[in-house]
Amino acid sequence: MKKALIIGAGPAGISASLYLIRSNTAEVTVITNGTSSLEKAELIENYFGFAQPISGKQLLQNARAGAERLGVKFIDDELTGLSFTDDMRFEAETVKSKDIYDAVLIATGSARKSPSIKGLSEFEGKGVSYCAVCDAFFYMKKDVAVIGNGEYASHEASILLRTASNVTLLSDGKGLSAKLPDGVKHNDIKIRSITGSQRVERVEFEDGSSLDVNGIFVAAGTAGSTEIARKIGVATDDKKIIVDDNFATNVPGIFAAGDCIGGLLQVSKAVGDGAVAGINMIKFLKK
């Protein structure tokens, strides 16, 4: 039996998992880092089927329990990498493990905000990148920095070590919450700004010190929807993943649904997106 991966355990992801598992087409795995914007909703009373308001947290717990009852496997872990295998399947790497899948649904919610650092947005595409596996080649034997302090930042730094001369992880005064790869330097001073003329040239810190770099890779927090998409060549626009009417991306076998594709950011829409995406993933897996 083939294997389907769903990244994100919100309304879109779990909805898709129900259609996939009931089709008996593939084993279905959902990877979740335990965070969903729906959990922050105190009470929901504009969703079909509830006589009384329900909390977002309880709605998610109910949804997961229903999917698990049908056989969907949930992995509570953080996705750090997504890449092609030699036979054009998909290898998903988490903090704890790796596995290979035949189709993938990105359902990680709306794109997270970038760190609020002066100069960061101005130098996007001019030395500031959000994907090490995409852009590491352009910094061959150069000095680079990674902004972040967790597993995602550690993973990006390990990729950059293969090509860059020097890699420094900038945790921006937050300390480290993950193991630093051997060979990566660490700087925990609060960042003031990113500066340069035409391209990134240095990072300025609050204590008056600076670090000369050729490139900066942003990996704060966990990998969001567009970061995951960029790693494998999925087209994005304004931090949203581009899909067709079947919720398929430009990369065969990769689908996206829910808030990460934009539109009305409501539970009802996300559930509908997930249903359509799940049905079209079934068609893809049956080819």
Side-chain angles (χ1 to χ4, degrees):
M1 185 174 286
K2 293 185 177 181
K3 299 172 70 173
L5 173 66
I6 295 171
I7 306 168
I14 295 180
S15 175
S17 78
L18 297 174
Y19 284 83
L20 281 159
I21 198 70
R22 283 168 53 85
S23 73
N24 200 35
T25 303
E27 297 175 4
V28 183
T29 299
V30 177
I31 292 178
T32 173
N33 63 4
T35 60
S36 171
S37 59
L38 182 57
E39 287 185 315
K40 300 176 183 178
E42 182 179 359
L43 290 175
I44 297 171
E45 57 182 3
N46 61 343
Y47 186 64
F48 178 84
F50 291 91
Q52 298 296 325
I54 185 172
S55 70
K57 184 176 182 179
Q58 187 61 58
L59 184 60
L60 279 176
Q61 289 175 347
N62 293 352
R64 175 165 174 166
E68 288 179 324
R69 178 181 63 82
L70 293 172
V72 176
K73 178 183 178 182
F74 283 78
I75 297 177
D76 295 296
D77 202 350
E78 180 182 334
L79 185 77
T80 55
L82 184 65
S83 59
F84 288 108
T85 63
D86 290 340
D87 58 355
M88 298 305 290
R89 296 166 74 197
F90 307 101
E91 181 178 81
E93 181 179 356
T94 70
V95 175
K96 301 174 184 177
S97 64
K98 293 181 182 180
D99 209 342
I100 294 174
Y101 300 90
D102 299 283
V104 176
L105 173 67
I106 302 173
T108 49
S110 57
R112 56 184 174 80
K113 293 182 179 179
S114 300
S116 180
I117 298 172
K118 183 179 179 181
L120 190 68
S121 60
E122 288 85 345
F123 285 102
E124 287 180 354
K126 301 175 184 177
V128 170
S129 172
Y130 291 82
C131 180
V133 73
C134 307
D135 297 334
F137 175 81
F138 301 113
Y139 297 90
M140 185 78 67
K141 300 187 183 301
K142 295 183 178 181
D143 298 332
V144 299
V146 177
I147 297 176
N149 71 328
E151 295 288 354
Y152 180 42
S154 178
H155 179 268
E156 296 290 272
S158 66
I159 292 174
L160 291 164
L161 277 174
R162 304 168 193 168
T163 55
S165 292
N166 293 288
V167 181
T168 303
L169 193 147
L170 309 177
S171 50
D172 196 24
K174 298 178 177 65
L176 291 174
S177 61
K179 184 180 178 181
L180 199 67
D182 292 339
V184 174
K185 302 172 185 177
H186 176 225
N187 185 322
D188 191 40
I189 303 170
K190 184 74 175 174
I191 300 171
R192 176 187 296 163
S193 63
I194 295 167
T195 62
S197 53
Q198 300 301 313
R199 293 183 58 83
V200 166
E201 293 177 4
R202 68 187 60 83
V203 181
E204 306 281 353
F205 299 99
E206 291 288 354
D207 67 351
S209 63
S210 64
L211 176 69
D212 291 339
V213 293
N214 302 110
I216 295 172
F217 290 78
V218 182
T222 59
S225 56
T226 51
E227 286 80 15
I228 293 167
R230 287 169 180 163
K231 287 178 183 295
I232 203 159
V234 170
T236 62
D237 177 33
D238 191 25
K239 296 187 178 181
K240 297 179 179 65
I241 297 175
I242 299 172
V243 296
D244 63 16
D245 291 341
N246 296 319
F247 294 88
T249 71
N250 60 305
V251 177
I254 302 285
F255 296 77
D259 290 359
C260 66
I261 66 171
L264 185 66
L265 305 183
Q266 293 289 303
V267 176
S268 54
K269 174 185 178 296
V271 170
D273 286 359
V276 178
I279 290 169
N280 284 293
M281 288 177 74
I282 292 167
K283 294 177 182 178
F284 174 83
L285 290 164
K286 284 182 175 180
K287 291 181 181 178

